[in-house]
Structures are given as structure tokens and as C-alpha cells.
Amino acid sequence: MSQRKYGIGFLFLFDSIGYVYKGKKFAVYLPEELLTNIFLRLGVNFLLRCKSVCKTWLSVISNPLFVESQLRRALMTPTLLIIDYPRAAGLPSTNIVNPFPRLFEKCNVVSCSYNGIVCLCDDNDAIYLWNPSIGKFKKLPPATRNRPPCLLRYDKVVFGYDSISDDYKVLKMVYENSKDFMRKVYVYSTKTDSWRRFEDRIMRKLNGFGQTDIVVNGVLYIKSGSELITFDLHREVFGLIRVPDFFGKNMSNVLDFEGSVGIVFKSVGDAEGIFLWTLDDVSGQMQWTKKLRINAYPGSLWWLYCYLGAGLFFGKMVPDHDMFIHHILYDYETEETKLHVRENVCATVKYAKTLVSLNGFEPLGNMPTKSITGKKRSRGSSID
């Protein structure tokens, strides 16, 4: 379909929306195929406005096939969602740009987001699934009951998506009583809207709270000391992968790097330097492969949180000449590191702006968010 045809379609869209907001009514006749292709090129905020224009537009945008197509496009251009701390007493309002909704003021963000869904948990055993783009959320039923409050702070919550069964799952690893020497595992499924409990001896390997987690090809990876605990989200089976001793100091979360599990390590000895290693299938065996060297600021303290695609890593750094924490974007293709304005943020999550809504979702209200995309940015651009 020609660009001219799309351009005419966009003009109709803008004109019709303008007339609706001015209180005027007129019919806009566009083939549904053309509407669909135009809508797929619009942002989520604009799509939400378009749903209120007329029943035809509402039907097209609400169609599950359209939501799925919009999701596929959104996943191609991931965004970094930056969420500020909730407003604190006595803190000037100008310091808070994107606070949590009041409901989530005491929540922590579970490290990863999938298909636009963010998982939140608080110290009172409450867990939420939330899509900030459409302003809807769901509070999950409790996994356990009548546990001593002193044990809640030892809970480990992880979140993932099983693409085979189109099922979002939350794992809650808990001590059920003070005599437990191993955490019990509860798995929540959005398909059944319920939890199931099971035990696995691998949970003895969970070091403290465990560290970061990521889902790659349907498998959840949890960094725990010198090992990766794995959980197949579809078969619900745990596994264990050893991290070689020669890797040295860990300098990143567990990353999804181009479809492979990746971790950045600082090596010593003959192979001194900072390298990204990936876990790859080599002739049917899972092996660690040195992928690339990270040439960031020497002598600085830094940590990489996620890979955005298009050669860009996101992280934080304390430069050797500075005392403040800065956001960084590191481009491994150009070996360029961009320092950005220090921000006191609650969480940063790799994110896709989608229309995905789960069963049981209810409106929360509008929440402003700011983001940076995983596309190549022009030189000199900033997170803001």
C-alpha cells in the first residue's frame, strides 16, 4: 500500500478526532484493512484516544488480533521505563516527575517486564500485575496465609512469561515457618488465576534473596552466587548451571543479549578486561562463550542492568572523577559511553508499550512515564 494512501488515512484520522473533540459529528469511511494498518503505526496513548472516536475504531483497536499485531511491533522497539519514588513528606514537588500511583507507593518492581506487563510486590505480601501504558492492573490472590510477619522480608519474587501457553507466571519463594531450611515455591498462573505449591531441592542453592532474573527462550534464569538457577516456565522444572570460576567479578544483571543469556564479568590474569559472556547451545551442549569486550570508563564503578538492542546497554556508573550516580548508555559497536543527568529513581525496566490487558485487569488511572527507546539515538541525545 502506498505511502500516499497512508498519508490520506492519517489526515482523516486527525480530522475526525478534531471534530469529535469540538463536539461535531461526521462519518469517516475508511476500509478496515486501511484503518488497521494506520493504527499499527500509532503510539498507545493515541490509540486509547482513538477508541473513543466511534464504535468502528473501538472494534478495530480492541480486536485481539490487532492487540497481538501491535504487541509484535512494540517488541521490536523496546523502551526503558523509568519510575520515580513516590512523593515523600517535605520533598518539593518539582523533584518528582513520574511517581508511582498511590496504590503502589510501598511496592518494589520485580526486575523484568514482559509484553508491557510489570510485576510489583510490597512488604505486606501483596503482588500486582500492571500495564502502565493502558493504566490497568490486577492484584493477585495471596499465595500463602498466616505466616509470621518477620519472614516476609526473606521472600523472593520473580516474574516471567510462558510464550508456549501464553501464560504469565509469578514465582514466590518463601520460608513458611522459622524452622524451614529451604524455601518453598509457589507458582501463580494467569491462565488459572491460582497458585500451586511444590518443593525442589535446588532451592537449597538459592543464595540469600537471589540476585537478578531474566526469561530467555521460555526459561527463567536466577543468579545465585556462582550459579544460575533455571526454571522452565512451561514444564515448571528447575535446573542448575554453574558459572565458571575464572570469570572473576560480576558486573551486570543476567541479560537477554540477542536471544542468549549473558553476564558481564571482569576477568583477571592473562585475559584481563571486562567481557560479555553468553550461554549458548554448542553441538547440543550449553557452553559459555566470550562474546565481546566492554570498553567503558576505566577506574569507574559501574553496573549494566539490561540490553536494549541495537548495540545499547543501560546501566549506572559512578565516574572516578565524580561522587554521583549517573545513568549510562553504552554502545558496544562504537565503544561510546554516554553519561546522563543523575536521577533518584525507584526502578528502571526494559519495557514495551502495548495494549495487552489480562483477565481481571481494572483501571488505575493515568500515570505519566518517561522512557528511552532501544533504537539508535542521535549523538548528544539524553535519557530526558
Side-chain angles (χ1 to χ4, degrees):
M1 193 173 292
S2 68
Q3 292 294 323
R4 176 178 173 81
K5 192 171 184 180
Y6 281 127
I8 294 173
F10 273 113
L11 288 176
F12 272 109
L13 283 175
F14 285 119
D15 287 346
S16 61
I17 291 174
Y19 272 76
V20 167
Y21 276 95
K22 291 177 183 177
K24 301 177 181 179
K25 296 182 180 180
F26 76 107
V28 178
Y29 298 102
L30 290 175
E32 185 169 322
E33 179 186 359
L34 178 59
L35 276 176
T36 298
N37 281 282
I38 293 173
F39 286 148
L40 284 175
R41 287 156 174 78
L42 301 180
V44 171
N45 291 341
F46 202 90
L47 289 172
L48 295 177
R49 293 172 59 190
C50 288
K51 290 175 72 172
S52 63
V53 170
C54 63
K55 291 182 179 180
T56 299
W57 291 17
L58 174 63
S59 175
V60 171
I61 298 171
S62 301
N63 189 309
L65 293 178
F66 177 82
V67 173
E68 183 178 349
S69 297
Q70 189 275 334
L71 169 62
R72 288 197 299 268
R73 290 180 65 92
L75 293 177
M76 296 171 63
T77 55
T79 289
L80 192 66
L81 183 67
I82 301 176
I83 306 172
D84 282 339
Y85 282 103
R87 190 182 306 279
L91 191 65
S93 60
T94 54
N95 287 358
I96 299 296
V97 180
N98 304 303
F100 264 146
R102 289 289 182 183
L103 178 64
F104 303 146
E105 281 186 348
K106 297 181 180 180
C107 287
N108 298 311
V109 178
V110 177
S111 60
C112 294
S113 166
Y114 300 97
N115 298 343
I117 306 299
V118 178
C119 182
L120 309 165
C121 63
D122 66 18
D123 294 334
N124 296 318
D125 233 10
I127 300 177
Y128 303 88
L129 298 182
W130 170 46
N131 185 341
S133 295
I134 61 174
K136 293 185 178 182
F137 81 105
K138 174 179 181 176
K139 184 177 182 180
L140 305 190
T144 57
R145 299 180 184 276
N146 303 321
R147 281 195 304 144
C150 62
L151 295 179
L152 299 182
R153 65 177 180 271
Y154 299 109
D155 290 356
K156 167 71 176 175
V157 177
V158 295
F159 175 54
Y161 174 65
D162 171 19
S163 59
I164 296 177
S165 55
D166 188 26
D167 196 0
Y168 298 84
K169 294 186 177 182
V170 177
L171 274 68
K172 190 176 180 68
M173 306 168 195
V174 306
Y175 293 111
E176 292 188 324
N177 60 70
S178 57
K179 296 181 180 179
D180 279 348
F181 62 90
M182 182 178 69
R183 286 182 174 92
K184 306 300 189 298
V185 181
Y186 289 81
V187 179
Y188 171 83
S189 161
T190 55
K191 286 286 188 181
T192 63
D193 191 27
S194 63
W195 296 85
R196 56 184 293 262
R197 176 185 179 276
F198 62 94
E199 298 184 34
D200 196 294
R201 295 175 64 87
I202 289 179
M203 281 298 98
R204 295 181 181 181
K205 296 284 188 176
L206 188 62
N207 184 3
F209 293 99
Q211 297 177 26
T212 58
D213 49 88
I214 189 75
V215 174
V216 180
N217 298 323
V219 178
L220 177 68
Y221 295 83
I222 305 170
K223 181 73 165 58
S224 183
S226 61
E227 295 170 307
L228 289 177
I229 295 175
T230 68
F231 182 76
D232 187 308
L233 288 166
H234 187 66
R235 297 188 299 122
E236 297 192 347
V237 175
F238 278 98
L240 201 63
I241 296 175
R242 180 78 180 173
V243 176
D245 296 333
F246 61 80
F247 275 179
K249 183 181 179 181
N250 187 6
M251 300 188 69
S252 79
N253 287 2
V254 184
L255 309 172
D256 180 352
F257 181 77
E258 309 290 359
S260 295
V261 175
I263 306 178
V264 176
F265 292 96
K266 183 176 183 180
S267 303
V268 295
D270 295 337
E272 185 174 351
I274 300 171
F275 299 94
L276 171 72
W277 290 74
T278 57
L279 186 64
D280 302 304
D281 188 335
V282 180
S283 301
Q285 301 256 343
M286 298 305 292
Q287 297 181 10
W288 290 97
T289 306
K290 185 188 293 186
K291 189 66 65 173
L292 56 93
R293 187 184 185 104
I294 305 291
N295 291 312
Y297 284 80
S300 301
L301 300 175
W302 54 271
W303 187 270
L304 297 181
Y305 285 94
C306 65
Y307 177 67
L308 291 174
L312 292 176
F313 291 89
F314 172 78
K316 291 186 178 181
M317 174 189 288
V318 180
D320 56 0
H321 61 276
D322 202 340
M323 59 181 293
F324 296 113
I325 298 175
H326 295 258
H327 294 302
I328 64 169
L329 285 175
Y330 174 74
D331 188 330
Y332 78 83
E333 294 177 354
T334 63
E335 298 186 350
E336 182 179 5
T337 304
K338 294 182 181 297
L339 290 178
H340 299 281
V341 178
R342 179 176 61 94
E343 297 187 43
N344 185 29
V345 299
C346 174
T348 53
V349 183
K350 184 179 178 181
Y351 182 73
K353 296 181 179 180
T354 75
L355 295 169
V356 174
S357 181
L358 305 180
N359 289 335
F361 262 26
E362 56 184 293
L364 181 65
N366 295 328
M367 175 196 169
T369 57
K370 60 181 173 183
S371 62
I372 60 175
T373 64
K375 290 183 176 179
K376 290 287 187 181
R377 274 164 287 283
S378 60
R379 300 306 178 191
S381 64
S382 70
I383 288 178
D384 296 329

